Amino acid sequence: WTQRSGTPRPTRIDLSGPGESPPFKAMASDDGAWLFATRRAVVAMPLDACSPLQAPSGRTAASYYEGRVVVVTRGACLFLQKMRQLQQVHAAAAVVVNLEGQEELQVMTCPMQERGAGRDVNTPAMMI
């Protein structure tokens, strides 16, 4: 949802190709303070984020993704691999979109985490 001129409205993110959403803010806390800064959302290229991220022509991946919420799809590789790709371009966070037809959300885990795998990843992520 975005809010301009006091009227909340939904924001649609089209996953059919690269694009950006309008800026948005996170939900306010009980005292009315914003919990997070305004961020723009962009769609990852490639969408599954299993290989190094690319940017539209004329831009570097770091300048395109840095400080933005990046939308990626579930599948094709480990969540840890996706998060490392996003961290390399300094993404602010990730939104992982569940596969169509999947009613249950996958738990985003890290294989071998009990042995320290994934400790170097600090990019926040959520799945929808």
Side-chain angles (χ1 to χ4, degrees):
W1 293 88
T2 59
Q3 187 168 355
R4 292 186 182 157
S5 304
T7 306
R9 63 186 176 97
T11 296
R12 179 175 176 255
I13 299 176
D14 183 358
L15 296 180
S16 63
E20 298 182 24
S21 75
F24 67 93
K25 291 186 178 182
M27 184 185 324
S29 64
D30 290 339
D31 65 2
W34 289 106
L35 299 176
F36 300 101
T38 299
R39 298 284 183 209
R40 287 193 176 271
V42 295
V43 176
M45 294 179 285
L47 189 55
D48 62 15
C50 291
S51 58
L53 297 180
Q54 305 297 311
S57 61
R59 299 193 60 185
T60 65
S63 70
Y64 183 68
Y65 294 104
E66 184 172 7
R68 296 181 176 197
V69 175
V70 181
V71 179
V72 302
T73 56
R74 173 183 162 195
C77 65
L78 297 172
F79 292 113
L80 180 59
Q81 185 175 345
K82 294 175 189 295
M83 296 304 104
R84 283 190 172 137
Q85 297 296 346
L86 295 172
Q87 189 163 296
Q88 286 179 352
V89 295
H90 307 285
V95 174
V96 181
V97 179
N98 198 27
L99 301 173
E100 186 175 359
Q102 296 288 328
E103 293 186 21
E104 292 185 27
L105 294 179
Q106 173 71 36
V107 176
M108 294 190 290
T109 61
C110 173
M112 305 290 285
Q113 65 188 15
E114 67 279 354
R115 295 188 184 163
R119 288 188 184 165
D120 59 327
V121 175
N122 55 27
T123 303
M126 63 174 274
M127 180 181 285
I128 57 171

